[in-house]
């Protein structure tokens, strides 16, 4: 009864007055008679995005005294992403105890001269709806913040403090040692071997130099890294001429003013003495093989465990991202594609790439076949990772070497256009995200001093021909292969046999005749 009375009370005015009468109470009654095309009184005038040509989307770059570069990109919206990118990473640790960059990644956004703890930093970010992150790769260290644009000044102040004034207390270093130990254990126990294989293929391809150095801290070095060693490294590599302050969704002049205010003239906690021992080594590709024989039978337990697999990654040197051939190699990598045997989807998922059509669709016993392209300022590495039952490792290796050899063979127009279209769409869709734009701006300005717009990259992709693909693939096949192998490797062919297969016309391994198996 009560419910029906409530319904009658609510619906009564609508029935008596009709739809127009009832609508009066839910439509902006505060501004009667104001059309939607007119601005509301008392509110700021809105700013709308306009199609003002590519010049409106160019990245602005300014070089300040001391070498610090400031880069910004226009983007509409109330939030911004900003951060500092530094030419620093594991490739620069040849003269140091390996693992320093791994430690610095874990120590980021801890206590500083201005903030007594990580919690205080997080509370400051929270006032502006912000989050923070630090990522370290082989050649770049990135400190990033996403927050409300109105908090630009305190966010740049926080960044300068985190980068230049970290306390690196004994307690924080000890906690970092524990975190690094845990991460190393997790790396060796996780079912997905791709991170470990990536480490191994780099170590095999660039043995003992630059990008071949360990990205993760070796277990034997954990106790050796202390504050004095960290300060020694920071003094050489955290210098203004190796830094870019980048922002997306920020007015360029505001970012420049904040950079002058908080970065210029700031004395780092490790002192103002000039860098003396900077490693300027150029990557030396060596090729070679790195094997880790390991019992993979109990990697994934449970009601539906992953079967025991052997994992192989084969790579060849490609080129740096500064060379013109970088774009053809990117198209080639997209053309190879691949993934896991349990992937589902249509053409947009890559089901028409070569590693699906020629490998996974024909050889159902293979669990994975995926192409990767790693590129740096002075070298590059194109790899294929494959997984299968340990008893079929030899056959799996031959299938992959055959695919490498076929890269330099006939290429259909439809296949090439599909790969170029997929690369363009992936590029443009990724750049819908503000943090991705920030990273793209920062990395390009750090490497080249400027930025190529997506439209320019799309034009370069369009120009790639079948001849370009054959040329770069033929050049790549002349190099010694790099091989990383993990698991039960009793059926793995020798490195010499694998090298001979890549040098042959059909990619086949030399025949092996056995009386007993």
């Amino acid at each position: 009864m009560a419910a029906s009375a409530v319904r009658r009370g609510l619906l009564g005015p609508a029935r008596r007055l009709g739809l127009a009468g009832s609508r009066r109470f839910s439509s902006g009654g505060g501004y009667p008679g104001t059309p939607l095309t007119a601005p509301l009184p008392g509110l700021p005038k809105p700013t709308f995005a306009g199609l003002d040509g590519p010049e409106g989307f160019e990245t602005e770059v300014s070089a300040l005294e001391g070498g610090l570069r400031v880069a910004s990109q226009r983007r509409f919206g109330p939030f911004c992403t900003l951060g500092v990118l530094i030419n620093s990473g594991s490739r620069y640790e040849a003269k140091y105890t390996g693992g320093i960059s791994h430690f610095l990644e874990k120590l980021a956004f801890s206590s500083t001269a201005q903030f007594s703890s990580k919690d205080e930093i997080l509370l400051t970010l929270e006032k502006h709806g912000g989050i923070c992150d630090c990522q370290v790769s082989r050649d770049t260290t990135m400190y990033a913040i996403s927050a409300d644009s109105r908090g630009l000044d305190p966010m740049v102040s926080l960044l300068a403090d985190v980068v230049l004034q970290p306390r690196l207390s004994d307690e924080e270093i000890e906690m970092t040692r524990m975190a690094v130990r845990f991460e190393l254990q997790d790396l060796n126990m996780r079912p997905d071997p791709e991170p470990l294989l990536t480490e191994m293929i780099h170590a095999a391809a660039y043995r003992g130099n630059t990008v071949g150095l360990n990205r993760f801290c070796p277990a034997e070095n954990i106790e050796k890294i202390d504050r004095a060693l960290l300060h020694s490294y920071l003094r050489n590599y955290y210098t203004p001429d190796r830094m870019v302050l980048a922002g997306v969704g920020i007015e360029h002049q505001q970012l420049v003013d904040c950079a002058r205010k908080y970065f210029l003239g700031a004395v780092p906690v490790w002192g103002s003495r000039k860098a003396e021992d900077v490693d300027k080594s150029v990557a030396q590709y060596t090729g070679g093989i790195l094997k880790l024989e390991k019992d993979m039978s109990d990697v994934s337990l449970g009601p539906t465990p992953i079967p025991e697999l052997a994992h192989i990654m084969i790579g060849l040197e490609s080129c740096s991202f500064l060379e013109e051939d970088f774009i053809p190699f990117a198209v080639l990598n997209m053309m190879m594609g691949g993934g896991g045997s349990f992937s589902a989807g249509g053409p947009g998922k890559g089901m028409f790439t070569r590693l699906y059509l020629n490998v996974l669709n024909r050889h159902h016993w293979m669990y994975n076949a995926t192409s990767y392209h790693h590129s740096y300022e002075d070298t590059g590495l194109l790899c294929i990772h494959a997984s299968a039952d340990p008893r079929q490792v030899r056959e799996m290796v031959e299938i992959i070497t055959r695919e490498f050899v076929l890269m330099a063979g006939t290429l259909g127009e439809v296949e090439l256009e599909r790969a170029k279209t997929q690369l363009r769409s992936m590029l443009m869709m990724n750049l819908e995200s503000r943090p991705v734009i920030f990273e793209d701006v920062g990395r390009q300005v750090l490497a080249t001093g400027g930025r190529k717009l997506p439209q320019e990259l799309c034009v370069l992709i369009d120009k790639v021909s079948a001849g370009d693909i054959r040329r770069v693939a033929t050049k790549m096949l002349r190099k010694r292969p790099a091989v990383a192998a993990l698991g039960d490797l009793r059926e793995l062919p020798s490195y010499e046999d694998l090298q001979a297969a890549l040098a042959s016309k059909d990619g086949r391994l030399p025949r092996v005749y056995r009386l007993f198996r």
Side-chain angles (χ1 to χ4, degrees):
M1 291 291 290
S4 62
V6 171
R7 284 198 296 272
R8 284 198 300 273
L10 288 175
L11 297 175
R15 288 200 183 103
R16 291 195 302 271
L17 299 174
L19 189 60
S22 64
R23 192 177 281 169
R24 183 176 70 238
F25 300 100
S26 60
S27 63
Y31 302 100
T34 303
L36 294 175
T37 54
L40 295 175
L43 293 179
K45 189 176 179 181
T47 304
F48 300 100
L51 296 174
D52 52 354
E55 64 277 359
F57 300 95
E58 288 182 358
T59 302
E60 295 185 74
V61 182
S62 298
L64 306 186
E65 302 90 304
L68 176 69
R69 285 159 289 176
V70 181
S72 71
Q73 180 73 43
R74 289 176 56 192
R75 186 175 173 87
F76 289 91
F79 276 76
C80 66
T81 299
L82 68 151
V84 177
L85 291 93
I86 308 167
N87 256 333
S88 163
S90 58
R91 71 168 294 163
Y92 300 106
E93 294 176 5
K95 300 177 182 179
Y96 288 89
T97 302
I100 290 177
S101 298
H102 194 186
F103 263 67
L104 290 173
E105 180 181 36
K106 300 301 177 190
L107 285 162
F109 293 98
S110 295
S111 64
T112 67
Q114 184 180 342
F115 300 95
S116 61
S117 68
K118 188 166 194 169
D119 288 341
E120 195 174 331
I121 289 176
L122 296 178
L123 285 171
T124 303
L125 286 167
E126 194 175 303
K127 292 177 185 176
H128 302 279
I131 56 173
C132 63
D133 188 26
C134 177
Q135 295 179 11
V136 175
S137 62
R138 298 180 190 281
D139 56 355
T140 307
T141 300
M142 179 176 70
Y143 297 82
I145 291 174
S146 287
D148 192 306
S149 302
R150 291 171 294 186
L152 177 63
D153 190 275
M155 292 302 100
V156 176
S157 172
L158 190 154
L159 271 173
D161 217 45
V162 165
V163 174
L164 300 175
Q165 303 287 335
R167 284 187 181 175
L168 305 179
S169 68
D170 292 339
E171 182 183 358
E172 288 169 343
I173 291 174
E174 191 55 45
M175 289 292 290
T176 300
R177 289 192 179 112
M178 293 173 59
V180 168
R181 285 193 191 97
F182 175 80
E183 190 166 350
L184 292 179
Q185 291 174 0
D186 178 65
L187 186 69
N188 288 300
M189 292 172 61
R190 63 172 61 181
D192 176 21
E194 194 269 327
L196 183 56
L197 279 169
T198 301
E199 287 300 298
M200 292 171 65
I201 196 74
H202 278 82
Y206 304 93
R207 199 169 290 272
N209 75 91
T210 58
V211 294
L213 300 177
N214 284 323
R215 191 170 73 85
F216 297 99
C217 180
E220 64 270 17
N221 290 350
I222 292 176
E223 293 297 330
K224 298 177 184 177
I225 296 175
D226 55 17
R227 189 189 302 109
L229 186 62
L230 292 171
H231 278 179
S232 173
Y233 179 87
L234 291 167
R235 185 180 300 111
N236 284 324
Y237 293 101
Y238 277 41
T239 55
D241 58 305
R242 300 177 69 88
M243 292 183 184
V244 169
L245 175 64
V248 176
I250 302 167
E251 287 296 327
H252 184 70
Q253 191 54 49
Q254 285 183 321
L255 189 60
V256 170
D257 292 343
C258 288
R260 290 185 184 278
K261 183 177 178 181
Y262 296 111
F263 280 88
L264 288 190
V267 180
V269 70
W270 48 86
S272 55
R273 199 172 62 193
K274 288 187 177 182
E276 298 171 350
D277 201 16
V278 178
D279 184 4
K280 297 181 180 178
S281 303
V282 176
Q284 302 295 318
Y285 180 82
T286 61
I289 186 167
L290 190 60
K291 297 188 287 186
L292 178 58
E293 299 215 25
K294 183 180 177 185
D295 181 10
M296 306 284 285
S297 59
D298 59 350
V299 168
S300 176
L301 302 176
T304 54
I306 296 174
E308 182 182 2
L309 300 174
H311 304 276
I312 309 296
M313 189 176 277
I314 302 173
L316 292 165
E317 188 181 22
S318 58
C319 72
S320 86
F321 56 68
L322 299 175
E323 297 178 48
E324 290 183 0
D325 284 343
F326 172 69
I327 299 295
F329 270 114
V331 174
L332 174 59
N333 180 57
M334 190 60 63
M335 184 181 79
M336 299 308 295
S341 60
F342 296 107
S343 292
K349 192 74 181 291
M351 289 295 188
F352 285 88
T353 58
R354 282 194 177 185
L355 292 180
Y356 267 112
L357 291 176
N358 300 348
V359 178
L360 293 171
N361 290 356
R362 295 183 183 182
H363 307 283
H364 300 287
W365 46 268
M366 286 186 66
Y367 279 77
N368 178 65
T370 310
S371 176
Y372 298 95
H373 188 215
H374 307 278
S375 198
Y376 306 96
E377 65 179 4
D378 51 4
T379 188
L381 193 63
L382 192 143
C383 317
I384 295 179
H385 167 211
S387 307
D389 186 283
R391 292 167 295 183
Q392 295 173 297
V393 166
R394 185 177 181 86
E395 190 176 352
M396 174 176 68
V397 168
E398 184 171 84
I399 289 167
I400 298 306
T401 55
R402 198 181 310 154
E403 287 304 312
F404 267 109
V405 171
L406 288 173
M407 290 180 190
T410 304
L411 176 60
E413 190 63 31
V414 173
E415 183 182 27
L416 176 62
E417 287 304 316
R418 182 185 289 119
K420 285 161 46 171
T421 301
Q422 284 183 316
L423 182 58
R424 283 196 303 269
S425 64
M426 185 185 73
L427 171 69
M428 301 307 286
M429 285 190 287
N430 283 340
L431 290 174
E432 289 286 315
S433 167
R434 188 182 62 250
V436 174
I437 298 173
F438 156 76
E439 188 172 348
D440 182 54
V441 169
R443 285 183 181 276
Q444 286 203 49
V445 173
L446 191 65
T448 67
R451 181 187 180 223
K452 283 184 179 176
L453 294 175
Q455 300 93 314
E456 297 175 68
L457 294 172
C458 286
V459 170
L460 294 174
I461 293 168
D462 281 335
K463 291 180 179 178
V464 175
S465 66
D468 292 327
I469 300 295
R470 285 193 296 271
R471 176 176 54 78
V472 297
T474 302
K475 179 181 176 183
M476 180 178 67
L477 286 166
R478 297 193 188 112
K479 305 289 180 70
R480 294 181 75 229
V483 183
L486 174 66
D488 182 347
L489 307 175
R490 285 174 288 185
E491 294 296 319
L492 180 69
S494 69
Y495 180 78
E496 291 72 23
D497 283 355
L498 195 149
Q499 195 172 3
L502 287 170
S504 68
K505 292 182 178 180
D506 57 5
R508 292 186 180 276
L509 292 165
R511 296 300 94 187
V512 175
Y513 300 97
R514 297 179 183 175
L515 291 175
F516 305 101
R517 287 189 66 85

